[in-house]
């Protein structure tokens, strides 16, 4: 329901499918390789599967349906390489240098997983930049976001990137284990000012150290 709501609210800000993707039938090829229902276009696929999906071909983003974006606009990455997608990321030197290697890994036939976390005043799964952020006064007003990201090789030229998002009150994370607060505090305190600003954690850093 939330995916359909985002689709109806934001429209083509959360999805696109290039002419090349249509001509090469990349969505259908991806669904066939995954051995799931054959989807004809990115909208159909994006509304039916539980994860957000990005499809790349020969190193460029050719189709995407990202309903639960974390502070970025999916519609703006059409046709970009991984280097171009990661250009806005703070302290991105190592990430940019690794972009070609990441693409080779994505088309290697193996699947790779990683988890990325964030903290937001928005409790919704979507943190699209068009949504205004509520003012918060303490840590209890914040939410902990976890993205499970995984790659899938379609063929030697095509790969898909899937994203699953979970959101919970930050206080819930702290109550699960006392050490989680210490881990988060240590991680936030290790970040450069550039990263803190990029992740909107400057105020959180001050609060978590009080």
């Amino acid at each position: 329901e939330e995916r359909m709501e985002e689709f109806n609210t934001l429209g083509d800000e959360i999805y696109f499918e290039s002419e090349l993707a249509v001509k090469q039938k990349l969505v259908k090829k991806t669904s066939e390789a995954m051995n799931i229902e054959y989807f004809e276009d990115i909208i159909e696929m994006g509304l039916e599967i539980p994860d957000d999906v990005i499809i790349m071909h020969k190193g460029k983003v050719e189709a995407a349906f990202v309903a639960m974006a974390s502070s970025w606009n999916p519609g703006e990455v059409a046709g970009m390489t991984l280097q171009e997608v990661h250009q806005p990321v703070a302290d991105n030197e190592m990430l940019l240098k690794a972009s070609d290697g990441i693409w080779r890994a994505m088309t290697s036939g193996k699947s790779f997983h990683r988890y990325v976390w964030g903290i937001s005043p928005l409790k919704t799964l979507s943190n699209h930049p068009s949504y205004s952020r509520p003012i918060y006064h303490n840590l209890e007003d914040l939410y902990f976001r976890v993205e499970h990201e995984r790659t899938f090789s379609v063929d030697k030229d095509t790969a898909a990137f899937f994203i699953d998002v979970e959101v919970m009150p930050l206080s819930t994370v702290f109550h699960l284990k006392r050490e989680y607060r210490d881990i988060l505090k240590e991680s936030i305190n290790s970040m450069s000012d550039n990263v803190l600003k990029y992740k909107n954690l400057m105020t959180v850093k001050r609060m978590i150290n009080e």
Side-chain angles (χ1 to χ4, degrees):
E1 290 183 7
E2 191 163 348
R3 300 181 70 78
M4 179 61 77
E5 183 177 344
E6 291 298 301
F7 174 69
N8 291 333
T9 302
L10 297 175
D12 59 8
E13 287 192 62
I14 68 169
Y15 75 88
F16 61 85
E17 187 172 2
S18 70
E19 291 184 9
L20 183 148
V22 174
K23 184 177 180 179
Q24 296 285 337
K25 297 182 178 180
L26 297 184
V27 172
K28 186 176 181 180
K29 286 181 180 178
T30 300
S31 60
E32 287 176 343
M34 295 175 63
N35 197 28
I36 58 177
E37 182 180 347
Y38 295 167
F39 299 113
E40 295 293 337
D41 60 61
I42 197 65
I43 296 175
E44 183 182 18
M45 188 178 197
L47 291 175
E48 289 294 327
I49 67 174
D51 296 351
D52 286 334
V53 57
I54 298 169
I55 299 175
M56 299 186 66
H57 182 73
K58 293 187 176 180
K60 293 185 177 181
V61 181
E62 299 293 350
F65 191 108
V66 182
M68 310 307 170
S70 295
S71 302
W72 60 285
N73 191 333
E76 295 179 351
V77 302
M80 287 187 177
T81 64
L82 285 174
Q83 272 198 335
E84 292 167 333
V85 170
H86 292 142
Q87 194 64 49
V89 177
D91 293 355
N92 61 8
E93 292 83 3
M94 291 184 64
L95 185 58
L96 295 182
K97 289 179 181 179
S99 294
D100 289 342
I102 293 172
W103 174 243
R104 288 194 297 272
M106 288 178 68
T107 53
S108 67
K110 298 179 181 179
S111 180
F112 295 88
H113 298 245
R114 75 167 186 162
Y115 290 87
V116 179
W117 63 268
I119 296 174
S120 171
L122 286 172
K123 64 180 179 180
T124 53
L125 289 174
S126 174
N127 265 220
H128 193 280
S130 65
Y131 295 143
S132 60
R133 270 51 176 170
I135 297 173
Y136 56 95
H137 302 284
N138 51 61
L139 296 175
E140 283 68 32
D141 296 330
L142 297 169
Y143 295 84
F144 188 72
R145 294 175 57 83
V146 179
E147 291 187 5
H148 176 200
E149 304 172 352
R150 62 192 186 280
T151 65
F152 180 83
S153 297
V154 177
D155 55 38
K156 65 181 180 64
D157 293 321
T158 310
F161 189 78
F162 295 95
I163 309 170
D164 177 55
V165 179
E166 290 186 58
V167 178
M168 67 187 75
L170 184 60
S171 57
T172 300
V173 177
F174 292 162
H175 291 149
L176 289 174
K177 281 188 178 181
R178 293 183 62 181
E179 66 188 84
Y180 287 171
R181 183 183 181 112
D182 293 335
I183 292 172
L184 277 175
K185 181 178 179 179
E186 181 180 349
S187 178
I188 290 171
N189 285 337
S190 71
M191 295 177 181
S192 69
D193 285 348
N194 287 337
V195 173
L196 289 169
K197 291 175 183 177
Y198 174 75
K199 291 180 172 288
N200 297 312
L201 292 175
M202 295 292 286
T203 301
V204 175
K205 179 178 179 178
R206 176 181 58 78
M207 288 181 172
I208 207 167
N209 283 292
E210 289 177 345

